Amino acid sequence: MTRSTDRFIDNKRHILVADDEMINREMLANILGDEYYVLMAEDGEQAYDIISHNRNTLSLILLDLKMPKLTGLELLSRVKEDPDIKGIPVIVLTSDQDSEVESLGLGAYDFIPKPYPQPDVIKARISRSIELAEDRQIITATEKDTLTGLFTSEYFYRYGEQFDKFHPLADTDAVCLDVKHFHVINERFGSAKGDEILKRIAGCLKSTFTDEECVICRMAADIFLIYCVHRDDYGHIADMISESCEDMPTSVKIRIGVYYSCDKKLDLRARIARAKIASNKIHNNYMISVGEYDETLMDNELFTEQLVDEFPKAIEEKQFQVFFQPKYDIRGDRPVLSSAEALVRWFHPTLGTISPGKFIPLFEEDGLISQLDEYIWRSAAKQIADWKARLGISVPVSVNLSRAEMYNPDLVGIFEKITTDTGITTKDILLEITESAYVRDADQIVDRVKSLREHGFFIEMDDFGSGYSSLNMISELPIDALKLDMMFIRTAFDKQNDTRMISIVIDIANYLEVPVIAEGVETEEQYLALKELGCAIIQGYYFSKPVTAGEFEKFLIERRERDKN
Ligand code: C2E
Ligand code: MG
Ligand code: MG
């Protein structure tokens, strides 16, 4: 058992007696032995050693001022200079009145005169000093965040309000600062690296803002709140923090939301909430590090909050449904149904149908996406199994994987369990991974995709052309199909019918020996042009919008009839 645990079990605290005279040490040990664990040192250096080794368990130091090697006063000032031990209370043992004053000036809690007074007096002074020190520790522990030394959020609001009281005319900003994808950094490089980044941020903030013009705290994890006199160099602060982390294994990008010159009639918490909203606004924008609050954002935010709050209930009440959109192979004389894409729909009891474009990005931000994705993958798999069993036919169905999924180390395990539980094969379910997932953290994503393929799954790269992956990288990507981003079709056919970009992508796909899937095909003109260009598969309103599982059966039956002939 370690000392620190037995301190909590029997509540007996540790005291160090530092005195060069044996008789004094023994006398104090006799008086205190029943109530305390007494450690003893016979000179200043030994005492410093014992203090350093017992910094977490030592409750008090009794210090003789006249000692060899290191005098009591020298030791006292060393203790007070070391932030790790300066909280341990020191009582000075002395026969010299002048030193009493000096030692109190150096931070001693109390003194006990020599010759020693009655044991009860000694005990009372000791226990009072310990109590005082422990109370003080509790206060500083809740006031300051131990990792960064900044205030905790409770004190932030308290001091922020005080700031307003003393500076009623000051023009102030409410600011919320965090690290983009901090959870990913923590997961990939470990929490020690994460902690180091947080300390660097705190360091930069302390050197940028002076105490007189601001209050700063670390609210939680990687979220820092700042309430300060108005300024306009937040972009510069974000850059400075990123630069201070340049030696880290990954680049550190900072996101800052600012409610500039805030309305002081609002509660400080409401002002900070607006800064958070401003920071959410730039969540998916990698080019911008500072977001500014404006009133229209507030309405959006209320809507967002409602969707996030209601997610668990929506899953429970099966408000999410999978729709299926057919994909047709157009290489032959007539288009043939070749597969489908599973797309989620939210049928909300009061808000009506909500499109995935609205809630997927929110859920990605809040970490709810994994739960939703798994729900959709499993529902799609059950549906495929049901079609196989009832209709004797099914086509492969592709499901979407959000970017966050690529960091899930058990991704392969999840898909294997889904296929085993539902009795479908790895060829029945295709995985769509958006191109932008490959662009960042390419190595890790490529490894994960490789392992999915080794387990028999097919991968389609979704939204190709929107993520700006380099040609160099594409040639090394493990994929089975390229899904052209809808924007290509839009621009190619909206403006002077210029399909050259599509041709280039089809050439790339040919080089990689994978088929091209075009999505968002709405007209016959587009369909014919894409066929002419050599596009293999088409998905879009031209054939069908995404439909319910029941409606999709007509496509399957049509295909079954065709196969018979
Ligand atoms: P996506 O994977 O690129 O899906 C294609 C989107 O294009 C779908 O939008 C589909 O309805 C729409 N679309 C298909 N054909 C046409 C067309 O001819 N014209 C037009 N204008 N649009 C067409 P939807 O269903 O709103 O989904 C939007 C995005 O939300 C999807 O883009 C996908 O990234 C994401 N998503 C949908 N379901 C899920 C899901 O279950 N999990 C995840 N992680 N993301 C999903
Ligand atoms: Mg997709
Ligand atoms: Mg797409």
Side-chain angles (χ1 to χ4, degrees), residues 115-215:
Y116 292 138
Q118 292 294 315
D120 285 352
V121 176
I122 297 179
K123 281 190 194 169
R125 288 194 162 189
I126 287 175
S127 84
R128 194 185 62 115
S129 291
I130 291 178
E131 251 170 51
L132 259 174
E134 287 181 356
D135 284 352
R136 185 181 284 187
Q137 261 167 15
I138 290 168
I139 293 171
T140 43
T142 46
E143 183 172 303
K144 293 279 172 74
D145 163 41
T146 42
L147 181 72
T148 60
L150 295 172
F151 287 123
T152 55
S153 60
E154 193 198 327
Y155 279 82
F156 169 80
Y157 287 110
R158 201 180 283 185
Y159 290 135
E161 278 154 17
Q162 240 175 48
F163 184 93
D164 280 341
K165 221 181 269 169
F166 294 131
H167 307 89
L169 299 176
D171 178 11
T172 54
D173 299 339
V175 182
C176 174
L177 178 153
D178 74 338
V179 181
K180 290 184 181 171
H181 302 286
F182 185 69
H183 63 288
V184 176
I185 296 180
N186 249 346
E187 259 170 48
R188 283 189 63 195
F189 305 105
S191 55
K193 275 278 176 284
D195 285 355
E196 181 56 34
I197 291 171
L198 298 178
K199 283 195 219 160
R200 300 262 176 104
I201 296 175
C204 287
L205 295 180
K206 284 177 197 163
S207 69
T208 307
F209 294 90
T210 61
D211 284 350
E212 297 76 49
E213 58 178 13
C214 81
V215 186

Side-chain angles (χ1 to χ4, degrees), residues 109-394:
Y109 263 59
D110 202 350
F111 60 91
I112 294 177
K114 287 181 182 176
Y116 292 138
Q118 292 294 315
D120 285 352
V121 176
I122 297 179
K123 281 190 194 169
R125 288 194 162 189
I126 287 175
S127 84
R128 194 185 62 115
S129 291
I130 291 178
E131 251 170 51
L132 259 174
E134 287 181 356
D135 284 352
R136 185 181 284 187
Q137 261 167 15
I138 290 168
I139 293 171
T140 43
T142 46
E143 183 172 303
K144 293 279 172 74
D145 163 41
T146 42
L147 181 72
T148 60
L150 295 172
F151 287 123
T152 55
S153 60
E154 193 198 327
Y155 279 82
F156 169 80
Y157 287 110
R158 201 180 283 185
Y159 290 135
E161 278 154 17
Q162 240 175 48
F163 184 93
D164 280 341
K165 221 181 269 169
F166 294 131
H167 307 89
L169 299 176
D171 178 11
T172 54
D173 299 339
V175 182
C176 174
L177 178 153
D178 74 338
V179 181
K180 290 184 181 171
H181 302 286
F182 185 69
H183 63 288
V184 176
I185 296 180
N186 249 346
E187 259 170 48
R188 283 189 63 195
F189 305 105
S191 55
K193 275 278 176 284
D195 285 355
E196 181 56 34
I197 291 171
L198 298 178
K199 283 195 219 160
R200 300 262 176 104
I201 296 175
C204 287
L205 295 180
K206 284 177 197 163
S207 69
T208 307
F209 294 90
T210 61
D211 284 350
E212 297 76 49
E213 58 178 13
C214 81
V215 186
I216 310 178
C217 81
R218 181 166 78 110
M219 191 192 78
D222 63 322
I223 303 173
F224 296 80
L225 306 180
I226 303 161
Y227 183 58
C228 61
V229 172
H230 172 68
R231 57 197 293 155
D232 46 27
D233 61 347
Y234 296 105
H236 171 71
I237 294 172
D239 292 344
M240 190 178 84
I241 294 174
S242 298
E243 276 161 30
S244 82
C245 293
E246 261 170 3
D247 58 330
M248 290 285 156
T250 180
S251 64
V252 174
K253 295 242 155 37
I254 297 299
R255 176 169 63 157
I256 302 182
V258 188
Y259 176 20
Y260 286 102
S261 301
C262 47
D263 176 359
K264 290 195 189 163
K265 287 195 286 302
L266 289 168
D267 181 67
L268 183 55
R269 283 176 198 273
R271 282 175 258 166
I272 290 290
R274 281 161 172 72
K276 281 188 199 152
I277 294 171
S279 123
N280 289 344
K281 179 175 85 166
I282 54 165
H283 181 74
N284 285 318
N285 193 330
Y286 295 94
M287 310 306 287
I288 296 181
S289 52
V290 182
E292 181 179 351
Y293 173 78
D294 69 68
E295 290 299 331
T296 56
L297 288 175
M298 195 62 190
D299 302 338
N300 286 338
E301 184 67 14
L302 292 175
F303 178 64
T304 304
E305 242 173 57
Q306 184 183 1
L307 297 191
V308 171
D309 285 353
E310 293 183 3
F311 175 78
K313 192 161 157 246
I315 284 274
E316 203 181 292
E317 295 182 354
K318 299 202 166 36
Q319 292 172 12
F320 294 106
Q321 253 190 50
V322 189
F323 271 46
F324 296 85
Q325 186 176 33
K327 298 182 201 172
Y328 278 84
D329 191 322
I330 57 164
R331 281 171 289 193
D333 295 345
R334 276 199 301 150
V336 183
L337 175 72
S338 63
S339 55
E341 176 170 11
L343 293 156
V344 63
R345 296 289 177 265
W346 185 352
F347 294 99
H348 190 281
T350 54
L351 299 171
T353 312
I354 311 170
S355 97
K358 285 226 167 70
F359 58 84
I360 299 272
L362 296 184
F363 293 171
E364 281 185 324
E365 192 175 318
D366 272 75
L368 298 170
I369 190 67
S370 312
Q371 207 187 331
L372 178 65
D373 270 349
E374 256 190 81
Y375 177 81
I376 299 299
W377 303 339
R378 194 166 274 278
S379 310
K382 279 190 200 151
Q383 189 58 64
I384 299 166
D386 172 59
W387 283 329
K388 277 181 142 178
R390 267 190 315 111
L391 306 178
I393 182 171
S394 83

